[in-house]
Amino acid sequence: RDLLEGGDFYPSDAFLRQDLVATLIRLGLQTSLDREGVIKVARSVADMDPSDEKAANRRGTALLRFLDLHYADLTRDVFTQISGAAKTAASGVKTLMGSLMASSKPPPPPPRPPRKDAAAHVSTKGEMTIEAFKELLLQHAWMPVLTKAPVEGLPWTDDRSPLARPSDVRPKEDMWLLSFFMSIVDGEVTSKELRAHFG
């Protein structure tokens, strides 16, 4: 739910009853995130009030975890839309269906890898290109970063925003070299593809 928090993405609490969720899905409630959905979330996070540092960090961290898990899928030529219910257990990211359909029932099996005949699982109409997705992901200040020096003596500047553009952020292993000039990510990026994209 942290990932999709806000009226533009998540139904009002009054509609979170399981009997109503099924109706909302039939009416068109989105149950997966594609490239366009991820960029909308990134814009929403970037537009948050930076003075609410905890909320900004929470949503930025949720998006970073989601991308760390699913970036490779999102940047394939043909990809399976990422289901919120199917892939949240490992990351703890409560995406849309994971939160709406939480119950005593066991979670559904994860989606199968995309196949040539997997047209039913792939969004092809109006789909954002991989190049546009990668470019837009770098343009918005959604990535959670440290606002205070994590260790004493680290070169640092005050009054840092809790969010920054990925192009202005470096991983923690680079902090002793670049912490004075660049932001340091507040979290871990393990995806090789995502780290390569962020530089």
Side-chain angles (χ1 to χ4, degrees):
R1 186 168 180 174
D2 289 340
L3 181 63
L4 301 177
E5 181 179 306
D8 291 340
F9 304 104
Y10 213 85
S12 166
D13 289 344
F15 293 96
L16 294 184
R17 293 190 351 235
Q18 289 191 6
D19 56 329
L20 294 179
V21 169
T23 301
L24 290 175
I25 292 173
R26 288 196 296 272
L27 291 173
L29 178 67
Q30 186 172 336
T31 60
S32 59
L33 278 179
D34 57 11
R35 296 175 194 134
E36 291 181 6
V38 169
I39 295 302
K40 286 181 181 179
V41 173
R43 286 174 177 154
S44 174
V45 174
D47 289 340
M48 294 183 68
D49 182 356
S51 65
D52 191 352
E53 185 174 327
K54 289 184 178 180
N57 181 275
R58 184 178 67 249
R59 289 200 64 209
T61 298
L63 179 55
L64 180 62
R65 288 176 179 170
F66 183 86
L67 284 168
D68 198 35
L69 277 178
H70 305 305
Y71 183 79
D73 292 327
L74 288 164
T75 52
R76 289 194 180 113
D77 287 336
V78 176
F79 72 95
T80 302
Q81 288 188 338
I82 306 302
S83 168
K87 289 191 173 182
T88 57
S91 66
V93 178
K94 296 182 179 179
T95 54
L96 183 58
M97 287 304 294
S99 294
L100 293 179
M101 300 301 289
S103 68
S104 58
K105 297 180 180 179
R112 296 175 181 174
R115 307 183 310 271
K116 291 182 179 180
D117 62 344
H121 303 286
V122 176
S123 174
T124 57
K125 293 185 178 180
E127 180 57 55
M128 178 181 292
T129 65
I130 296 173
E131 291 74 18
F133 173 70
K134 289 181 175 181
E135 182 177 349
L136 289 170
L137 200 59
L138 294 176
Q139 290 180 3
H140 301 288
W142 60 266
M143 181 171 277
V145 295
L146 299 174
T147 57
K148 296 180 180 179
V151 293
E152 187 177 353
L154 185 70
W156 202 259
T157 55
D158 295 328
D159 300 324
R160 297 196 177 198
S161 171
L163 301 170
R165 294 182 302 173
S167 55
D168 296 329
V169 178
R170 297 305 304 163
K172 290 178 180 177
E173 57 262 32
D174 291 347
M175 64 182 181
W176 285 103
L177 296 174
L178 300 167
S179 63
F180 189 81
F181 304 100
M182 302 188 74
S183 297
I184 304 300
V185 65
D186 187 6
E188 300 295 334
V189 179
T190 59
S191 165
K192 293 179 180 179
E193 295 87 355
L194 189 59
R195 288 177 71 97
H197 179 52
F198 289 162

